């Protein structure tokens, strides 16, 4: 935690109170709460491949009563809220609701140097050539017609999100799950139509038209589920087992096509299936053998065995995706590239410029910028973020919930696996390892300087380390012969949130309170959204909904949470990027709150 300074700038107050939210430091600073309308571009790839013609801010005309996912409440010093009323252009109100636009906050002069704003700016500075992120275009008032159009699109998007799990339940014969999803969908449709009747910008004809459109869309989207219900439960059970056996056969065939080392990796990973259904996947004389799934005679198929099949299917899907992705890899056939033809971030210039700034003006803000620059360039664990994580861990009910990671394909791009990457250029791998070690030492020195203040001895040690980092960066520019920074894979982390033995409704809401990845971290009190801090997020959420943009979603009957990132070889294979941590708050139907610290290790194949 940052040490209190007598003349601390506003961003340090925000960091201590807003991020850690411990309610101790700066207790005398009066705080006020305000609601902010977020920006949320669709499709998700817009956060790394932005195109003004193809990307839409789906929160542009949002209303807090009808699109709460587009809003977040932030506690800020009351003088900041007063200032926003004077300078902000995006303040709106309707009935009992009032809110600012997030662009008001991001352009407020006193907050420009706030940590969670400048950490993203530093990330953009280093990786801007590789990530085309959205620009803020400021606030534009929405016309009533625009509000009506966006409301309809939002309803149809929600409808698709609600109907998709039930559609797949019909397609994959998930009968027990489908019955619960059908109940949930029916309740949600009642709520949606109720909101349509209340929406102040619709007339009677428009309300009836949209409700009729909902009924028509559902008829199409639920065709598979409606077809499935025509069969008896026993017929569905037999079909479900047969379908899963075909998918197991596909997995065995995929594994059989892989190089021997990867076969062993996949067979080892297939042990994740065993707690649910033991199919004894292994090598045999004819290739890859397994035992077929059979319905048990000693227990009912519904709901117990069907639930086991659901959990088995989750793991099976991940294994199939990974085995399929591993069939499209560089295997002794990577064509190296001349260094002059490669695009590479300027690590040396990036860190050195922040050191020059600090030496010119030894301010706390410049010291934080230098520390954050090293985090982003060389470390996956932001040191300030680690303090936030430590504080949240102390308040958590479960720590060390270990997730399962898996690879999948990123389009048709062949994957440069870590073993091949290190073999192509062993010196580059050694440079990465040494850079990680040196950056860790540098960050420890900076933590001392942030806590205890400047000393000439600490600065000299820091300059020596950064000089060596610059030498390594310069050497990497000379010897680099691999496209390390182009995305070529997806990595998914799947966490089981509860040890449930059956499908459940008991826990309703999941709130992400912390996420760290690739030298950056996010908490709900940041004005930037998850997608802005982590443009490589491909998906985050549950079967019932997305965590994007605000970090809040509904829990699903499967009680699990998934986050998927797109990765390059550089970030996938760096020793400093081998783990990920997150904290979630779960609120059940009775309002009982529990917290979990989630972690996972990336396989780094």
């Amino acid at each position: 935690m940052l040490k209190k300074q007598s003349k601390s700038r506003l961003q340090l107050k925000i960091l201590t109170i807003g991020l850690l939210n411990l309610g101790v430091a700066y207790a005398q600073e009066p705080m006020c709460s305000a609601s902010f309308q977020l920006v949320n571009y669709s499709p998700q790839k817009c956060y790394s491949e932005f195109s003004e013609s193809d990307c839409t801010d789906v929160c542009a005309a949002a209303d807090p009563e009808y699109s709460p996912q587009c809003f977040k409440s932030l506690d800020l010093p009351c003088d900041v809220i007063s200032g926003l009323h004077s300078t902000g252009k995006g303040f709106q109100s309707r009935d009992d609701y009032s809110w600012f636009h997030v662009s008001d906050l991001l352009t407020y002069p006193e907050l420009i140097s706030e940590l969670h704003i400048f950490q993203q700016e530093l990330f953009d500075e280093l990786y801007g050539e590789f990530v085309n992120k959205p620009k803020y275009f400021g606030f534009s008032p929405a016309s009533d017609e625009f509000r009506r159009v966006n409301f309809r699109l939002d309803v149809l998007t929600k409808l698709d999100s609600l109907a998709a799990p039930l559609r797949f339940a019909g397609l994959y014969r998930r009968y027990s799950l489908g019955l619960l999803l059908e109940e949930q969908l029916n309740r949600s449709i009642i709520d949606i139509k109720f909101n349509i009747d209340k929406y102040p910008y619709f007339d009677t004809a428009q309300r009836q038209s949209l409700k009729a459109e909902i009924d028509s869309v559902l008829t199409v989207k639920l065709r598979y589920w409606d077809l499935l219900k025509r069969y008896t439960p026993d017929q569905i059970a037999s079909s479900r087992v047969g379908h899963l056996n075909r998918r197991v056969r596909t997995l065995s065939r995929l594994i059989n096509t892989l190089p021997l080392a990867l076969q062993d990796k996949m067979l080892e990973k297939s042990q994740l299936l065993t707690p649910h259904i033991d199919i004894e996947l292994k090598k045999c004389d004819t290739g890859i053998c397994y035992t077929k799934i059979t319905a048990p005679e000693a227990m009912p198929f519904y709901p117990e065995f069907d639930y086991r099949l659901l959990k088995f299917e989750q793991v099976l899907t991940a294994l199939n995706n990974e085995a399929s992705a591993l069939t499209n890899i560089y295997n002794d056939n990577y064509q190296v590239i001349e260094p002059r033809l490669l695009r590479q971030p300027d690590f040396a210039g990036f860190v050195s410029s922040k050191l020059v700034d600090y030496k010119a003006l030894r301010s706390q803000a410049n010291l934080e910028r230098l520390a954050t620059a090293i985090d982003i360039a060389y470390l996956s664990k932001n040191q300030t973020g680690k303090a936030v994580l430590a504080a949240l861990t102390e308040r958590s009910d479960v720590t060390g919930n270990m997730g399962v990671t898996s690879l999948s394909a990123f389009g048709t791009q062949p994957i440069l696996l870590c073993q091949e990457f290190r073999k192509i250029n062993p010196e580059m791998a050694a440079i990465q390892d040494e850079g990680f070690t040196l950056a860790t030492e540098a960050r420890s020195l900076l933590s001392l300087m942030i806590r205890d203040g400047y000393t000439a001895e600490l600065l000299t040690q820091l300059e020596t380390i950064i000089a060596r980092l610059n030498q390594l960066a310069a050497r990497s520019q000379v010897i680099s012969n691999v496209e390390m920074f182009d995305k070529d894979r997806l990595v998914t982390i799947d966490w089981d949130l509860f040890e449930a033995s059956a499908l459940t409704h008991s826990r309703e809401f999941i709130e992400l309170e912390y996420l760290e990845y690739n030298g950056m971290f996010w908490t709900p009190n940041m004005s930037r959204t998850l997608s802005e801090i982590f443009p490589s997020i491909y998906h985050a959420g549950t079967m019932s909904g997305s965590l994007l943009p605000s970090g809040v979603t509904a829990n699903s009957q499967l009680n699990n949470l998934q986050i998927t990132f797109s990765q390059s070889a550089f970030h996938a294979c760096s020793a400093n990027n081998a783990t990920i941590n997150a904290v979630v708050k779960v609120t059940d139907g009775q309002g009982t709150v529990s917290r979990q610290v989630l972690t996972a290790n990336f396989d780094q194949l």
Side-chain angles (χ1 to χ4, degrees), residues 117-228:
I117 293 179
F118 75 64
Q119 75 161 340
Q120 188 200 17
E121 292 172 348
L122 291 174
F123 182 90
D124 295 346
E125 179 184 336
L126 183 61
Y127 292 112
E129 188 177 0
F130 302 89
V131 180
N132 182 25
K133 298 177 69 173
K135 307 297 187 293
Y136 269 95
F137 299 104
F139 168 75
S140 297
S143 66
D144 289 353
E145 178 59 25
F146 187 44
R147 294 180 192 277
R148 285 190 287 268
V149 169
N150 267 35
F151 182 87
R152 172 183 170 273
L153 293 176
D154 186 46
V155 165
L156 295 179
T157 299
K158 288 177 182 175
L159 197 62
D160 185 64
S161 178
L162 289 165
L166 190 53
R167 182 170 70 249
F168 288 119
L171 184 62
Y172 296 113
R173 293 78 156 170
R174 301 166 185 161
Y175 187 60
S176 299
L177 176 62
L179 292 175
L180 292 178
L181 290 172
E182 187 174 44
E183 292 179 13
Q184 176 182 296
L185 176 64
N186 290 337
R187 290 194 300 268
S188 298
I189 295 302
I190 291 172
D191 292 339
I192 288 173
K193 290 184 176 181
F194 178 74
N195 282 335
I196 290 173
D197 285 333
K198 289 197 308 176
Y199 193 60
Y201 301 100
F202 276 159
D203 59 28
T204 301
Q206 290 166 332
R207 293 187 178 99
Q208 293 305 317
S209 175
L210 183 53
K211 286 191 282 188
E213 185 177 9
I214 288 173
D215 295 336
S216 177
V217 168
L218 284 177
T219 299
V220 175
K221 289 186 177 294
L222 301 184
R223 182 165 57 92
Y224 287 124
W225 174 247
D226 291 335
L227 286 172
L228 185 72

